[in-house]
Amino acid sequence: VAGAGAPADGHVPRNMRLALASIDLLQPHIELAPSLPARPGEGCLRLEWQVWGAIKVDDTVALWRATPTSAWEEVPFVAAPPSRRKLASAVGPSHFSLADGRVLGGDGVWATGHSPFSPPTIAGCARTPPHVGSAQLAVSVRADSSWAASPSGQFAPKLPPQTHFARARSEYKAKHGGFEVVGRSRWLSAPIALNCSAAFGCCALQNRRCSR
């Protein structure tokens, strides 16, 4: 099934991949990881993330909180430090920080050279919060927002999208037969744990090169 283009890649494995990709598109999933540890003076934590189950990643914001019960607060993405720019060019300009600090994801799982089994990697440098001690960091992604918009064009019906599949990319709820469909306009990654110090800023604890 995973061997796309192999000699034995017939109708059955192709249809299985199509079914798996369709299931994946029901709900985007963000896989977040620190790419490199923060360095003194950079003022930001370098991150990479992949968005599974999205055709188009519209934008990303970084969030942090001091404890698991605290409210999330947005922290901006900042310009890449010099040590980060080589990786930025490898990732691609459409997947890096914009001038206003907001990261656009660009094309999703069907971007050139990618598939639903290998989505593109998005990169950004999130400004570390003025905090000392443990904290959490996550990213929030808006994906496929155009699905929930009314179609345009000369012969387009004057109706909003009618399927749960499309409307689930917006703040949408529907109940039927004891089941409920809950959509959303933004999708949150699992948080990563940080250790923040006055000397080194914030560093992801899962990174073995984390300076404490």
Side-chain angles (χ1 to χ4, degrees):
V1 174
D9 189 22
H11 290 295
V12 172
R14 292 178 185 180
N15 287 331
M16 291 179 68
R17 284 198 300 273
L18 179 61
L20 291 171
S22 299
I23 293 171
D24 206 35
L25 287 171
L26 289 174
Q27 178 174 310
H29 170 75
I30 304 103
E31 187 176 355
L32 172 67
S35 61
L36 292 169
R39 295 176 181 175
E42 282 189 350
C44 65
L45 184 64
R46 291 162 283 174
L47 304 170
E48 291 180 356
W49 60 98
Q50 292 177 299
V51 183
W52 302 76
I55 303 297
K56 185 78 172 180
V57 181
D58 299 315
D59 67 57
T60 308
V61 296
L63 305 168
W64 87 281
R65 61 186 180 187
T67 68
T69 57
S70 303
W72 287 109
E73 298 179 33
E74 184 175 339
V75 290
F77 285 104
V78 298
S83 59
R84 181 78 178 126
R85 288 174 188 155
K86 285 186 178 181
L87 181 57
S89 61
V91 171
S94 65
H95 292 116
F96 203 63
S97 300
L98 300 180
D100 64 357
R102 188 66 61 95
V103 171
L104 279 179
D107 292 332
V109 293
W110 275 301
T112 302
H114 296 275
S115 74
F117 300 94
S118 178
T121 297
I122 308 171
C125 206
R127 181 175 294 163
T128 51
H131 177 75
V132 175
S134 61
Q136 289 186 333
L137 184 73
V139 294
S140 171
V141 166
R142 187 167 60 95
D144 300 322
S145 59
S146 62
W147 291 11
S150 297
S152 59
Q154 183 178 358
F155 301 105
K158 300 186 182 301
L159 291 170
Q162 299 297 294
T163 65
H164 296 312
F165 191 86
R167 298 175 76 178
R169 291 298 201 267
S170 64
E171 301 298 325
Y172 169 72
K173 287 187 178 182
K175 292 183 179 181
H176 180 74
F179 296 94
E180 184 176 14
V181 177
V182 180
R184 63 185 72 171
S185 56
R186 303 202 68 91
W187 307 86
L188 186 67
S189 72
I192 58 175
L194 303 179
N195 181 61
C196 303
S197 68
F200 291 99
C202 293
C203 188
L205 295 182
Q206 70 191 72
N207 198 316
R208 294 182 179 179
R209 291 181 291 170
C210 183
S211 299
R212 295 188 178 90

